[in-house]
């Protein structure tokens, strides 16, 4: 593997992970991890969750794509570009993508794109990939009327309910 790019180990610290080595790569090169077909019909809020590590000064793009079994067209359901960690020791970051728009049998692939070109510092990695019920993350979180004993919190989300924990 190259220096100044990629993670130092997997999420748990003792296992394995998948990464793309970009030494010798060219701009536009793509690598794919295609998962076997998965039946999601028993899931009420199906999604794919995983951890990613994207450390390197010429980091490309990581995409999650899905399609109904038998379809030829992939749909990008999650995408992130550029360096996300500042060091190989920085923690892995969690992500998830909604699979609710797909039929009962779905195919999922991770696409790793070497956007920038140049050598060696675009090693991206994924770990702990899971297809299960996922809790959609809220967005556009705002905090207003902040006082010693109360706060107004608002957000946008697609879940029917959220659990809020205050620590």
């Amino acid at each position: 593997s190259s220096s100044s790019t990629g993670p130092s180990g997997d999420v748990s610290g003792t296992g394995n992970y998948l990464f793309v080595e970009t030494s010798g790569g060219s701009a536009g090169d793509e690598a794919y991890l295609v998962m076997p077909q998965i039946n999601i019909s028993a899931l009420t809020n199906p999604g794919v969750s995983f951890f990613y590590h994207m450390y390197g000064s010429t980091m490309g793009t990581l995409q999650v794509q899905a399609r109904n079994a038998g379809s030829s067209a992939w749909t990008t359901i999650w995408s992130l570009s550029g360096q996300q960690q500042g060091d190989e020791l920085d923690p892995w970051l969690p992500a998830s993508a909604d699979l609710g728009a797909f039929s009962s049998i779905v195919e999922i692939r991770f696409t790793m794109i070497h956007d920038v070109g140049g050598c060696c510092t675009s090693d991206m990695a994924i770990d702990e990939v899971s297809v299960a019920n996922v809790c959609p993350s809220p967005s556009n979180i705002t905090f207003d009327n902040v006082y010693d004993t109360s706060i107004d919190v608002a957000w946008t989300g697609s879940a029917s309910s959220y659990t809020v924990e205050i620590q």
Side-chain angles (χ1 to χ4, degrees):
S1 71
S2 311
S3 61
S4 300
T5 187
S8 62
D10 76 311
V11 171
S12 70
T14 60
N16 298 305
Y17 59 93
L18 180 120
F19 81 103
V20 173
E21 172 62 53
T22 58
S23 297
S26 301
D29 286 352
E30 296 183 2
Y32 304 101
L33 168 65
V34 181
M35 298 175 64
Q37 292 182 355
I38 300 170
N39 187 336
I40 59 172
S41 62
L43 302 175
T44 55
N45 194 25
V48 56
S49 60
F50 59 99
F51 286 85
Y52 65 90
H53 201 284
M54 297 172 70
Y55 163 56
S57 62
T58 60
M59 186 56 58
T61 300
L62 175 60
Q63 295 178 339
V64 180
Q65 299 172 314
R67 67 183 179 189
N68 291 320
S71 173
S72 61
W74 290 98
T75 301
T76 300
I77 57 174
W78 186 91
S79 182
L80 188 62
S81 297
Q83 178 170 286
Q84 303 300 311
Q85 281 91 346
D87 186 83
E88 66 184 13
L89 297 173
D90 285 353
W92 290 71
L93 299 173
S96 64
D98 183 20
L99 293 170
F102 298 92
S103 65
S104 59
I105 307 294
V106 66
E107 294 177 289
I108 301 165
R109 80 175 178 187
F110 288 82
T111 303
M112 299 168 182
I113 305 168
H114 190 56
D115 294 327
V116 180
C119 179
C120 312
T121 55
S122 185
D123 295 357
M124 61 186 79
I126 58 172
D127 198 5
E128 296 189 6
V129 177
S130 173
V131 175
N133 284 315
V134 296
C135 180
S137 298
S139 60
N140 303 317
I141 300 172
T142 60
F143 303 95
D144 293 310
N145 303 318
V146 180
Y147 300 104
D148 290 339
T149 59
S150 67
I151 186 172
D152 293 336
V153 181
W155 62 84
T156 304
S158 60
S160 59
S161 65
Y162 286 92
T163 299
V164 178
E165 292 183 26
I166 299 172
Q167 298 180 351

